[in-house]
Amino acid sequence: MQTVASDSGTKKGQDASFVRKAFASIASRYVLTNHVLSLGIDVIWRWRTGREVAACQPQQVVDLATGSGDLAAEIQRRCPDAAVLGVDFSQPMLMEARKRGLTQLVVGDGMNLPLQDACADVVTVAFGLRNMASWPDALREMSRILRPGGHLFVLDFSLPKSGLIRAGHLFYLRHVMPRVAGWLTGERAAYEYLCGTIEAFPSGEKMNAMICENGFEKSDAAALSFGIASLYHARKAG
């Protein structure tokens, strides 16, 4: 298992080259594997994120690390009059997104987006910030493409605070998930890596602080499903 996270867990993200290869190798089985590994709960997490995005009444939404397009499709369903653009650095993943009827898709790196300043009302990223090479740099890039007063939604895995639930979840991440995912995709090493990133990724108040230090004036965290995932909602100053 590889990791390049810093000791503080807030400076550096992941090995971008490895992540690119990993997602390319699992693209065709990614959605099925997610649903199996989460017992379908990931659908509820995206449903809630889409509901909160819709409450902002956006006209321009950019979904970063859109992957197979699950969240972008949910947002488009809830915001039929909004332009929803999906961005991902993996062409094979974008090919999966097209199968969901998404047409506004762009190949792009979250660290250097091919988008103009202040072009979006809302930026979303689901299970993608964790895999970027530098979390602070990625957040500043998200702030750059947001209009003043725009909203950021970050949905990602986290670790439960409760000792018993946390211990059980860590066992699942370390020993169960990679085996099941390896059986479903034939790429166990990719999931060993991705599962390992969850432990290094900051959550709760640490994530709120990092978001506010990199282009946003306020960030709130909502723990989902006993804290195995978290939804962060931040706003750009202005």
Side-chain angles (χ1 to χ4, degrees):
M1 183 183 301
Q2 304 178 50
T3 181
V4 293
S6 67
D7 292 340
S8 65
T10 62
K11 297 302 180 185
K12 297 181 69 177
Q14 308 307 325
D15 183 339
S17 176
F18 184 90
V19 171
R20 191 188 302 270
K21 293 177 182 178
F23 279 106
S25 68
I26 63 180
S28 62
R29 306 283 287 178
Y30 181 73
V31 176
L32 171 64
T33 305
N34 279 353
H35 293 340
V36 170
L37 294 176
S38 71
L39 302 179
I41 300 174
D42 64 307
V43 175
I44 298 174
W45 298 339
R46 290 185 178 90
W47 179 88
R48 173 166 174 172
T49 304
R51 182 185 67 183
E52 295 201 18
V53 169
C56 299
Q57 299 181 317
Q59 293 301 306
Q60 301 284 338
V61 179
V62 175
D63 183 44
L64 300 180
T66 196
S68 52
D70 298 74
L71 180 57
E74 175 65 18
I75 294 170
Q76 190 69 86
R77 183 183 71 83
R78 289 180 175 272
C79 307
D81 296 328
V84 180
L85 174 67
V87 181
D88 201 285
F89 73 171
S90 172
Q91 182 65 49
M93 292 299 290
L94 291 179
M95 291 173 64
E96 297 299 313
R98 290 192 183 280
K99 296 178 182 178
R100 283 168 172 68
L102 297 170
T103 58
Q104 296 190 57
L105 300 169
V106 173
V107 176
D109 189 332
M111 306 296 296
N112 186 22
L113 294 168
L115 302 174
Q116 295 180 349
D117 294 355
C119 65
D121 304 311
V122 169
V123 171
T124 60
V125 55
F127 310 107
L129 175 59
R130 174 171 44 89
N131 296 314
M132 294 182 185
S134 168
W135 305 320
D137 289 347
L139 287 167
R140 285 192 289 270
E141 185 70 348
M142 294 174 202
S143 177
R144 179 185 68 79
I145 67 170
L146 269 174
R147 297 186 178 117
H151 299 265
L152 170 69
F153 292 89
V154 178
L155 172 64
D156 218 311
F157 290 112
S158 51
L159 294 178
K161 293 182 179 180
S162 170
L164 185 60
I165 298 176
R166 184 186 182 94
H169 186 54
L170 284 172
F171 180 85
Y172 178 72
L173 286 177
R174 294 168 180 172
H175 304 290
V176 179
M177 185 182 287
R179 286 186 172 88
V180 174
W183 177 72
L184 288 170
T185 66
E187 297 289 344
R188 177 171 172 173
Y191 277 91
E192 286 179 339
Y193 176 89
L194 294 174
C195 290
T197 65
I198 296 172
E199 293 187 51
F201 194 56
S203 61
E205 290 307 312
K206 289 183 178 180
M207 176 57 72
N208 282 335
M210 184 169 67
I211 291 172
C212 290
E213 290 168 359
N214 292 283
F216 297 88
E217 63 178 359
K218 182 181 179 182
S219 179
D220 296 310
L224 308 178
S225 303
F226 303 102
I228 64 175
S230 294
L231 176 60
Y232 304 90
H233 179 192
R235 189 165 184 169
K236 181 177 177 177

